[in-house]
Amino acid sequence: MTAPSISTVVRELLTGDINMTADDIIQKARTRGVTAPPVSIRDVVYNIRSELKKRIAVTGTVLPKQKQAVAAAAAAAPIAPSVHANGTPDLATVFGNVTLVSQLVEKGGVTLLREVAEAVQVCGGTETFLKHLDLVAGIRASEKTA
């Protein structure tokens, strides 16, 4: 039996989680039967990750793990007013919120964040969105165990 293709295995792993470290991918590739040297696998990881990131940037598509991470982070994000009671901007809060948004963009991209924001608005607010999110998570979890 021949060893599986490095690129096929690496692409499957990165499609599941584009932020997985090269070392983790090497270990998982080994368990899937890839026998190539670690340096070869690492090169393929960097090349395919770069290709996937470019594709995501151009097409606006998002990988499954990114959707889950961004939705969870957006749901857990604290919402703080960005103005003081006297109407002046609270710069610490503004910068904190900008940092939070930046971290979410790194996880899922601008397109996904826009979709999440629109979904929250369409659902009627954060609480309703979170209820829908919990419902979908429960359904998906029960589908995996069935």
Side-chain angles (χ1 to χ4, degrees), residues 50-111:
S50 175
E51 172 194 324
L52 289 173
K53 285 184 175 183
K54 286 177 187 173
R55 184 180 308 155
I56 290 167
V58 169
T59 64
T61 58
V62 181
L63 302 175
K65 288 273 185 179
Q66 289 176 304
K67 286 184 181 180
Q68 294 170 356
V70 170
I79 299 172
S82 56
V83 291
H84 291 289
N86 64 6
T88 60
D90 178 5
L91 294 180
T93 302
V94 170
F95 290 136
N97 288 339
V98 169
T99 300
L100 173 64
V101 170
S102 177
Q103 290 169 346
L104 293 172
V105 167
E106 285 181 25
K107 290 181 180 180
V110 172
T111 303

Side-chain angles (χ1 to χ4, degrees), residues 89-138:
D90 178 5
L91 294 180
T93 302
V94 170
F95 290 136
N97 288 339
V98 169
T99 300
L100 173 64
V101 170
S102 177
Q103 290 169 346
L104 293 172
V105 167
E106 285 181 25
K107 290 181 180 180
V110 172
T111 303
L112 178 64
L113 286 176
R114 287 186 191 281
E115 291 174 8
V116 170
E118 289 170 7
V120 169
Q121 190 174 24
V122 168
C123 287
T126 306
E127 288 184 35
T128 308
F129 174 79
L130 290 174
K131 288 178 183 176
H132 288 99
L133 182 63
D134 290 341
L135 174 66
V136 170

